[in-house]
Amino acid sequence: MCGIVGAVAKRNVVPILVEGLLRLEYRGYDSAGLVVVNDKSLERVRSTGRVAELAEKSLKTNGTIGIAHTRWATHGVPSERNAHPHTSNELIAVVHNGIIENYEELRSKLTGEGYIFTSDTDTEVIAHLIHSYYIKNKDLLKSTQSALAELVGAYAIGVIAADNPDQLIGARKGSPLLLGVGEGEYFIASDMSALLQVTQKVVYLEEGDVVALALVGYKIYDAKGGAIERPVNISELNNESVELGEYQHYMQKEIHEQPQALADTLESVCNSQSLVPGIFGAEAANSFAQINRILILACGTSSHAGMVAKYWLEEIAGVPCAVEIASEYRYRVSVADPETLIVTISQSGETADTLAALNHAKSIGHKHTLAICNVPESAIIRQSKLRFLTRAGPEIGVASTKAFTTQLAALFLLTLVLAKQNGRLSAKQEQAHLHDLRHLPSAVLAVLKAEPEIAELAKHFADKHHALFLGRGLHYPIALEGALKLKEISYIHAEAYPAGELKHGPLALVDSDMPVVAVAPNDILLEKLKSNLQEVKARGGQLYVFADSETKIHSSEGVHVMQMPEHAGFLSPILHTIPLQLLAYYVALQKGTDVDKPRNLAKSVTVE
Ligand code: M6R
């Protein structure tokens, strides 16, 4: 969701800005733009198309300092006039991620002062506000700090001034922004993938930080305005990890990266002989000893991981667990229980609703917090007491795939650690689970071999408008995840139900035009599920069943069965996710949709 790149260098920065935006495309956007200072004036180029179009339009643009942006519309429709950068009086230019909540108030104040607005965005108030200070003090840093003091809301910004070709200001509060350190050149960006082209050295800015970049170096100021040092880190990301390689889409690449992502996530555990709370942080043993229930907060796919974990935590660890959608929890009046562990799950670690839910939980008195996240240094990681980093690597496709299965792996580890603490895991059981976890990457690899078969099945969905997904128990959240994947990237309306609910309403929808996808592991609910499938078959529904080999469900008229290679016991939800991801991917290919950047969606949802 929205992306920022900025650079100050001795060379023309336009190619760096454009390449940076290309690498941020995955975040989701509907317009793009850049501005550079050239001969003491601002040269701005904007476009409502793809970044490639912006690149075409800016071929002749040249400057050694500049800022660029991909916009995902919040205030004002996607259009060139609403695209960033926004300028004030040809002097100040601003790019902005986030939402300024008091923009209407500021807009009328600035209008009263004679400022003319040319867009419908909240961002334009920032440009005019900085301008109103800058014309008085000619100090870009101070003007930006004064303007920021008037803003209510979330922001990451980049600012330049036409008459100041050697200074770029960046600032963050509530939206991610980092600083890239090159050889005599400096950069800002919303995430590191934009900067790998120029540097591996990164400084993670803290909440409220303002940074002033110049050719001679940079200076960081904290929320109170005092100069502060922040550590320079070497990013673990490399160019290869964000490149497509042999694959057609990032989603396909990321589906295939799951065996490695799981192996990396489980590495420390699988190499040891026993499970210890320390994998969740130094204070985990102490925290875990004080809690007796869990509340999981997350959005979208991450919340589905939480729903699977609820089954594991209650059955294996004997810990009561509730799962709540973060955007609901943050506004609900709830009762804080000091013995509850708050677990937030997030691929990006920057999802506004999940972050706000975490802070809400803390504000009402929850002191035990654990983040399961894929991005080190993300806000959710930094604001939680305990943490587990999934090691899925960068996930570029908007549809979450490897992040989900690695979240499940992390949650299974949490379950085992708590089960052990609660005396519910014998040494023999612990070894058996460790064995299954070591085997997991190769079990996933075996499922991926079914790709051609699933690509064939997908053809049956291409002309459909609706689909129903069924699962039971542990696999009901997997049905939800399968439906979310399908609707997200193929735009087919898909719903998921616990199969037992079928006859309480959704059965009315079933006819020969309604594909019904069933997740059918060989577990204790199998016979119940088989009866539910009969109910569908009897109404002429077309069944697509992902069945473990021992289930004895076979293809017949109207029943298409894909045999899963093995039943993985408690880890079965991870294996059963894979074919549903592949199904969604191949249906989207059939329909010719933009798989990695589905319409209206953003990768990292940093606004409410
Ligand atoms: O980064 P997060 O895991 O916090 O993101 C949460 C959701 O926005 C995300 O899972 C979304 O539902 C995905 N696009 C689903 O594929």
mmCIF file with all atom_site columns, all heavy atoms in Angstrom, residues 539-556:
data_model
loop_
_atom_site.group_PDB
_atom_site.id
_atom_site.type_symbol
_atom_site.label_atom_id
_atom_site.label_alt_id
_atom_site.label_comp_id
_atom_site.label_asym_id
_atom_site.label_entity_id
_atom_site.label_seq_id
_atom_site.pdbx_PDB_ins_code
_atom_site.Cartn_x
_atom_site.Cartn_y
_atom_site.Cartn_z
_atom_site.occupancy
_atom_site.B_iso_or_equiv
_atom_site.pdbx_formal_charge
_atom_site.auth_seq_id
_atom_site.auth_comp_id
_atom_site.auth_asym_id
_atom_site.auth_atom_id
_atom_site.pdbx_PDB_model_num
ATOM 1   N N   . ARG A 1 539 ? -27.571 -33.012 -4.868  1.00 0.00 ? 539 ARG A N   1
ATOM 2   C CA  . ARG A 1 539 ? -28.194 -31.809 -5.473  1.00 0.00 ? 539 ARG A CA  1
ATOM 3   C C   . ARG A 1 539 ? -27.536 -31.420 -6.791  1.00 0.00 ? 539 ARG A C   1
ATOM 4   O O   . ARG A 1 539 ? -27.700 -30.303 -7.275  1.00 0.00 ? 539 ARG A O   1
ATOM 5   C CB  . ARG A 1 539 ? -28.122 -30.624 -4.505  1.00 0.00 ? 539 ARG A CB  1
ATOM 6   C CG  . ARG A 1 539 ? -29.300 -30.567 -3.587  1.00 0.00 ? 539 ARG A CG  1
ATOM 7   C CD  . ARG A 1 539 ? -28.915 -31.018 -2.202  1.00 0.00 ? 539 ARG A CD  1
ATOM 8   N NE  . ARG A 1 539 ? -30.084 -31.307 -1.377  1.00 0.00 ? 539 ARG A NE  1
ATOM 9   C CZ  . ARG A 1 539 ? -30.075 -32.250 -0.447  1.00 0.00 ? 539 ARG A CZ  1
ATOM 10  N NH1 . ARG A 1 539 ? -29.009 -33.022 -0.271  1.00 0.00 ? 539 ARG A NH1 1
ATOM 11  N NH2 . ARG A 1 539 ? -31.135 -32.447 0.297   1.00 0.00 ? 539 ARG A NH2 1
ATOM 12  N N   . GLY A 1 540 ? -26.733 -32.307 -7.341  1.00 0.00 ? 540 GLY A N   1
ATOM 13  C CA  . GLY A 1 540 ? -26.112 -32.058 -8.655  1.00 0.00 ? 540 GLY A CA  1
ATOM 14  C C   . GLY A 1 540 ? -24.892 -31.162 -8.588  1.00 0.00 ? 540 GLY A C   1
ATOM 15  O O   . GLY A 1 540 ? -24.392 -30.696 -9.617  1.00 0.00 ? 540 GLY A O   1
ATOM 16  N N   . GLY A 1 541 ? -24.394 -30.855 -7.383  1.00 0.00 ? 541 GLY A N   1
ATOM 17  C CA  . GLY A 1 541 ? -23.210 -29.992 -7.252  1.00 0.00 ? 541 GLY A CA  1
ATOM 18  C C   . GLY A 1 541 ? -21.968 -30.686 -7.797  1.00 0.00 ? 541 GLY A C   1
ATOM 19  O O   . GLY A 1 541 ? -21.851 -31.905 -7.744  1.00 0.00 ? 541 GLY A O   1
ATOM 20  N N   . GLN A 1 542 ? -21.035 -29.895 -8.334  1.00 0.00 ? 542 GLN A N   1
ATOM 21  C CA  . GLN A 1 542 ? -19.761 -30.437 -8.824  1.00 0.00 ? 542 GLN A CA  1
ATOM 22  C C   . GLN A 1 542 ? -18.759 -30.386 -7.675  1.00 0.00 ? 542 GLN A C   1
ATOM 23  O O   . GLN A 1 542 ? -18.459 -29.306 -7.164  1.00 0.00 ? 542 GLN A O   1
ATOM 24  C CB  . GLN A 1 542 ? -19.239 -29.578 -9.979  1.00 0.00 ? 542 GLN A CB  1
ATOM 25  C CG  . GLN A 1 542 ? -20.060 -29.682 -11.240 1.00 0.00 ? 542 GLN A CG  1
ATOM 26  C CD  . GLN A 1 542 ? -19.946 -31.060 -11.874 1.00 0.00 ? 542 GLN A CD  1
ATOM 27  O OE1 . GLN A 1 542 ? -18.841 -31.552 -12.114 1.00 0.00 ? 542 GLN A OE1 1
ATOM 28  N NE2 . GLN A 1 542 ? -21.081 -31.693 -12.124 1.00 0.00 ? 542 GLN A NE2 1
ATOM 29  N N   . LEU A 1 543 ? -18.262 -31.570 -7.297  1.00 0.00 ? 543 LEU A N   1
ATOM 30  C CA  . LEU A 1 543 ? -17.352 -31.628 -6.142  1.00 0.00 ? 543 LEU A CA  1
ATOM 31  C C   . LEU A 1 543 ? -15.885 -31.703 -6.572  1.00 0.00 ? 543 LEU A C   1
ATOM 32  O O   . LEU A 1 543 ? -15.539 -32.481 -7.482  1.00 0.00 ? 543 LEU A O   1
ATOM 33  C CB  . LEU A 1 543 ? -17.681 -32.860 -5.299  1.00 0.00 ? 543 LEU A CB  1
ATOM 34  C CG  . LEU A 1 543 ? -18.795 -32.683 -4.267  1.00 0.00 ? 543 LEU A CG  1
ATOM 35  C CD1 . LEU A 1 543 ? -19.281 -34.043 -3.792  1.00 0.00 ? 543 LEU A CD1 1
ATOM 36  C CD2 . LEU A 1 543 ? -18.328 -31.841 -3.073  1.00 0.00 ? 543 LEU A CD2 1
ATOM 37  N N   . TYR A 1 544 ? -15.045 -30.923 -5.938  1.00 0.00 ? 544 TYR A N   1
ATOM 38  C CA  . TYR A 1 544 ? -13.595 -30.969 -6.138  1.00 0.00 ? 544 TYR A CA  1
ATOM 39  C C   . TYR A 1 544 ? -12.991 -31.268 -4.775  1.00 0.00 ? 544 TYR A C   1
ATOM 40  O O   . TYR A 1 544 ? -13.000 -30.417 -3.889  1.00 0.00 ? 544 TYR A O   1
ATOM 41  C CB  . TYR A 1 544 ? -13.087 -29.635 -6.707  1.00 0.00 ? 544 TYR A CB  1
ATOM 42  C CG  . TYR A 1 544 ? -13.706 -29.387 -8.057  1.00 0.00 ? 544 TYR A CG  1
ATOM 43  C CD1 . TYR A 1 544 ? -14.962 -28.780 -8.158  1.00 0.00 ? 544 TYR A CD1 1
ATOM 44  C CD2 . TYR A 1 544 ? -13.071 -29.822 -9.216  1.00 0.00 ? 544 TYR A CD2 1
ATOM 45  C CE1 . TYR A 1 544 ? -15.572 -28.606 -9.387  1.00 0.00 ? 544 TYR A CE1 1
ATOM 46  C CE2 . TYR A 1 544 ? -13.670 -29.653 -10.454 1.00 0.00 ? 544 TYR A CE2 1
ATOM 47  C CZ  . TYR A 1 544 ? -14.920 -29.053 -10.536 1.00 0.00 ? 544 TYR A CZ  1
ATOM 48  O OH  . TYR A 1 544 ? -15.524 -28.899 -11.762 1.00 0.00 ? 544 TYR A OH  1
ATOM 49  N N   . VAL A 1 545 ? -12.526 -32.503 -4.608  1.00 0.00 ? 545 VAL A N   1
ATOM 50  C CA  . VAL A 1 545 ? -12.151 -32.960 -3.264  1.00 0.00 ? 545 VAL A CA  1
ATOM 51  C C   . VAL A 1 545 ? -10.633 -33.163 -3.176  1.00 0.00 ? 545 VAL A C   1
ATOM 52  O O   . VAL A 1 545 ? -10.044 -33.879 -3.991  1.00 0.00 ? 545 VAL A O   1
ATOM 53  C CB  . VAL A 1 545 ? -12.869 -34.294 -2.933  1.00 0.00 ? 545 VAL A CB  1
ATOM 54  C CG1 . VAL A 1 545 ? -12.619 -34.676 -1.480  1.00 0.00 ? 545 VAL A CG1 1
ATOM 55  C CG2 . VAL A 1 545 ? -14.362 -34.187 -3.206  1.00 0.00 ? 545 VAL A CG2 1
ATOM 56  N N   . PHE A 1 546 ? -10.025 -32.512 -2.197  1.00 0.00 ? 546 PHE A N   1
ATOM 57  C CA  . PHE A 1 546 ? -8.602  -32.717 -1.933  1.00 0.00 ? 546 PHE A CA  1
ATOM 58  C C   . PHE A 1 546 ? -8.509  -33.694 -0.769  1.00 0.00 ? 546 PHE A C   1
ATOM 59  O O   . PHE A 1 546 ? -8.703  -33.328 0.387   1.00 0.00 ? 546 PHE A O   1
ATOM 60  C CB  . PHE A 1 546 ? -7.921  -31.374 -1.652  1.00 0.00 ? 546 PHE A CB  1
ATOM 61  C CG  . PHE A 1 546 ? -7.964  -30.483 -2.866  1.00 0.00 ? 546 PHE A CG  1
ATOM 62  C CD1 . PHE A 1 546 ? -8.992  -29.567 -3.048  1.00 0.00 ? 546 PHE A CD1 1
ATOM 63  C CD2 . PHE A 1 546 ? -7.010  -30.620 -3.869  1.00 0.00 ? 546 PHE A CD2 1
ATOM 64  C CE1 . PHE A 1 546 ? -9.052  -28.790 -4.196  1.00 0.00 ? 546 PHE A CE1 1
ATOM 65  C CE2 . PHE A 1 546 ? -7.060  -29.843 -5.023  1.00 0.00 ? 546 PHE A CE2 1
ATOM 66  C CZ  . PHE A 1 546 ? -8.089  -28.927 -5.181  1.00 0.00 ? 546 PHE A CZ  1
ATOM 67  N N   . ALA A 1 547 ? -8.252  -34.950 -1.128  1.00 0.00 ? 547 ALA A N   1
ATOM 68  C CA  . ALA A 1 547 ? -8.421  -36.029 -0.152  1.00 0.00 ? 547 ALA A CA  1
ATOM 69  C C   . ALA A 1 547 ? -7.105  -36.744 0.131   1.00 0.00 ? 547 ALA A C   1
ATOM 70  O O   . ALA A 1 547 ? -6.319  -37.004 -0.785  1.00 0.00 ? 547 ALA A O   1
ATOM 71  C CB  . ALA A 1 547 ? -9.430  -37.035 -0.696  1.00 0.00 ? 547 ALA A CB  1
ATOM 72  N N   . ASP A 1 548 ? -6.876  -37.072 1.403   1.00 0.00 ? 548 ASP A N   1
ATOM 73  C CA  . ASP A 1 548 ? -5.723  -37.908 1.731   1.00 0.00 ? 548 ASP A CA  1
ATOM 74  C C   . ASP A 1 548 ? -5.931  -39.292 1.120   1.00 0.00 ? 548 ASP A C   1
ATOM 75  O O   . ASP A 1 548 ? -7.080  -39.741 0.979   1.00 0.00 ? 548 ASP A O   1
ATOM 76  C CB  . ASP A 1 548 ? -5.588  -38.033 3.257   1.00 0.00 ? 548 ASP A CB  1
ATOM 77  C CG  . ASP A 1 548 ? -5.182  -36.710 3.883   1.00 0.00 ? 548 ASP A CG  1
ATOM 78  O OD1 . ASP A 1 548 ? -4.822  -35.789 3.133   1.00 0.00 ? 548 ASP A OD1 1
ATOM 79  O OD2 . ASP A 1 548 ? -5.236  -36.593 5.120   1.00 0.00 ? 548 ASP A OD2 1
ATOM 80  N N   . SER A 1 549 ? -4.811  -39.952 0.806   1.00 0.00 ? 549 SER A N   1
ATOM 81  C CA  . SER A 1 549 ? -4.949  -41.203 0.048   1.00 0.00 ? 549 SER A CA  1
ATOM 82  C C   . SER A 1 549 ? -5.769  -42.254 0.789   1.00 0.00 ? 549 SER A C   1
ATOM 83  O O   . SER A 1 549 ? -6.457  -43.056 0.176   1.00 0.00 ? 549 SER A O   1
ATOM 84  C CB  . SER A 1 549 ? -3.575  -41.741 -0.312  1.00 0.00 ? 549 SER A CB  1
ATOM 85  O OG  . SER A 1 549 ? -2.750  -41.691 0.818   1.00 0.00 ? 549 SER A OG  1
ATOM 86  N N   . GLU A 1 550 ? -5.744  -42.237 2.132   1.00 0.00 ? 550 GLU A N   1
ATOM 87  C CA  . GLU A 1 550 ? -6.456  -43.298 2.866   1.00 0.00 ? 550 GLU A CA  1
ATOM 88  C C   . GLU A 1 550 ? -7.954  -43.003 3.039   1.00 0.00 ? 550 GLU A C   1
ATOM 89  O O   . GLU A 1 550 ? -8.654  -43.770 3.704   1.00 0.00 ? 550 GLU A O   1
ATOM 90  C CB  . GLU A 1 550 ? -5.847  -43.504 4.262   1.00 0.00 ? 550 GLU A CB  1
ATOM 91  C CG  . GLU A 1 550 ? -4.343  -43.640 4.323   1.00 0.00 ? 550 GLU A CG  1
ATOM 92  C CD  . GLU A 1 550 ? -3.634  -42.288 4.413   1.00 0.00 ? 550 GLU A CD  1
ATOM 93  O OE1 . GLU A 1 550 ? -4.163  -41.391 5.081   1.00 0.00 ? 550 GLU A OE1 1
ATOM 94  O OE2 . GLU A 1 550 ? -2.577  -42.126 3.786   1.00 0.00 ? 550 GLU A OE2 1
ATOM 95  N N   . THR A 1 551 ? -8.434  -41.937 2.465   1.00 0.00 ? 551 THR A N   1
ATOM 96  C CA  . THR A 1 551 ? -9.833  -41.569 2.726   1.00 0.00 ? 551 THR A CA  1
ATOM 97  C C   . THR A 1 551 ? -10.837 -42.425 1.941   1.00 0.00 ? 551 THR A C   1
ATOM 98  O O   . THR A 1 551 ? -12.025 -42.436 2.249   1.00 0.00 ? 551 THR A O   1
ATOM 99  C CB  . THR A 1 551 ? -10.104 -40.100 2.340   1.00 0.00 ? 551 THR A CB  1
ATOM 100 O OG1 . THR A 1 551 ? -9.698  -39.930 0.978   1.00 0.00 ? 551 THR A OG1 1
ATOM 101 C CG2 . THR A 1 551 ? -9.405  -39.134 3.242   1.00 0.00 ? 551 THR A CG2 1
ATOM 102 N N   . LYS A 1 552 ? -10.338 -43.100 0.917   1.00 0.00 ? 552 LYS A N   1
ATOM 103 C CA  . LYS A 1 552 ? -11.204 -43.913 0.044   1.00 0.00 ? 552 LYS A CA  1
ATOM 104 C C   . LYS A 1 552 ? -12.297 -43.068 -0.620  1.00 0.00 ? 552 LYS A C   1
ATOM 105 O O   . LYS A 1 552 ? -13.421 -43.527 -0.832  1.00 0.00 ? 552 LYS A O   1
ATOM 106 C CB  . LYS A 1 552 ? -11.818 -45.088 0.809   1.00 0.00 ? 552 LYS A CB  1
ATOM 107 C CG  . LYS A 1 552 ? -10.774 -46.012 1.418   1.00 0.00 ? 552 LYS A CG  1
ATOM 108 C CD  . LYS A 1 552 ? -11.388 -47.369 1.765   1.00 0.00 ? 552 LYS A CD  1
ATOM 109 C CE  . LYS A 1 552 ? -10.355 -48.349 2.239   1.00 0.00 ? 552 LYS A CE  1
ATOM 110 N NZ  . LYS A 1 552 ? -9.802  -48.084 3.551   1.00 0.00 ? 552 LYS A NZ  1
ATOM 111 N N   . ILE A 1 553 ? -11.981 -41.813 -0.903  1.00 0.00 ? 553 ILE A N   1
ATOM 112 C CA  . ILE A 1 553 ? -12.904 -41.012 -1.723  1.00 0.00 ? 553 ILE A CA  1
ATOM 113 C C   . ILE A 1 553 ? -12.340 -41.068 -3.138  1.00 0.00 ? 553 ILE A C   1
ATOM 114 O O   . ILE A 1 553 ? -11.157 -40.747 -3.347  1.00 0.00 ? 553 ILE A O   1
ATOM 115 C CB  . ILE A 1 553 ? -12.975 -39.538 -1.235  1.00 0.00 ? 553 ILE A CB  1
ATOM 116 C CG1 . ILE A 1 553 ? -13.374 -39.470 0.230   1.00 0.00 ? 553 ILE A CG1 1
ATOM 117 C CG2 . ILE A 1 553 ? -13.955 -38.738 -2.091  1.00 0.00 ? 553 ILE A CG2 1
ATOM 118 C CD1 . ILE A 1 553 ? -13.383 -38.071 0.822   1.00 0.00 ? 553 ILE A CD1 1
ATOM 119 N N   . HIS A 1 554 ? -13.151 -41.508 -4.085  1.00 0.00 ? 554 HIS A N   1
ATOM 120 C CA  . HIS A 1 554 ? -12.643 -41.678 -5.445  1.00 0.00 ? 554 HIS A CA  1
ATOM 121 C C   . HIS A 1 554 ? -13.437 -40.835 -6.424  1.00 0.00 ? 554 HIS A C   1
ATOM 122 O O   . HIS A 1 554 ? -14.602 -40.499 -6.166  1.00 0.00 ? 554 HIS A O   1
ATOM 123 C CB  . HIS A 1 554 ? -12.704 -43.156 -5.862  1.00 0.00 ? 554 HIS A CB  1
ATOM 124 C CG  . HIS A 1 554 ? -11.912 -44.027 -4.935  1.00 0.00 ? 554 HIS A CG  1
ATOM 125 N ND1 . HIS A 1 554 ? -10.539 -43.981 -4.878  1.00 0.00 ? 554 HIS A ND1 1
ATOM 126 C CD2 . HIS A 1 554 ? -12.309 -44.931 -4.002  1.00 0.00 ? 554 HIS A CD2 1
ATOM 127 C CE1 . HIS A 1 554 ? -10.118 -44.834 -3.955  1.00 0.00 ? 554 HIS A CE1 1
ATOM 128 N NE2 . HIS A 1 554 ? -11.178 -45.416 -3.401  1.00 0.00 ? 554 HIS A NE2 1
ATOM 129 N N   . SER A 1 555 ? -12.787 -40.512 -7.535  1.00 0.00 ? 555 SER A N   1
ATOM 130 C CA  . SER A 1 555 ? -13.480 -39.722 -8.560  1.00 0.00 ? 555 SER A CA  1
ATOM 131 C C   . SER A 1 555 ? -14.650 -40.517 -9.139  1.00 0.00 ? 555 SER A C   1
ATOM 132 O O   . SER A 1 555 ? -14.574 -41.749 -9.286  1.00 0.00 ? 555 SER A O   1
ATOM 133 C CB  . SER A 1 555 ? -12.511 -39.371 -9.692  1.00 0.00 ? 555 SER A CB  1
ATOM 134 O OG  . SER A 1 555 ? -11.531 -38.496 -9.207  1.00 0.00 ? 555 SER A OG  1
ATOM 135 N N   . SER A 1 556 ? -15.727 -39.843 -9.422  1.00 0.00 ? 556 SER A N   1
ATOM 136 C CA  . SER A 1 556 ? -16.883 -40.457 -10.082 1.00 0.00 ? 556 SER A CA  1
ATOM 137 C C   . SER A 1 556 ? -17.618 -39.327 -10.787 1.00 0.00 ? 556 SER A C   1
ATOM 138 O O   . SER A 1 556 ? -17.150 -38.195 -10.800 1.00 0.00 ? 556 SER A O   1
ATOM 139 C CB  . SER A 1 556 ? -17.786 -41.143 -9.039  1.00 0.00 ? 556 SER A CB  1
ATOM 140 O OG  . SER A 1 556 ? -18.223 -40.181 -8.096  1.00 0.00 ? 556 SER A OG  1
#
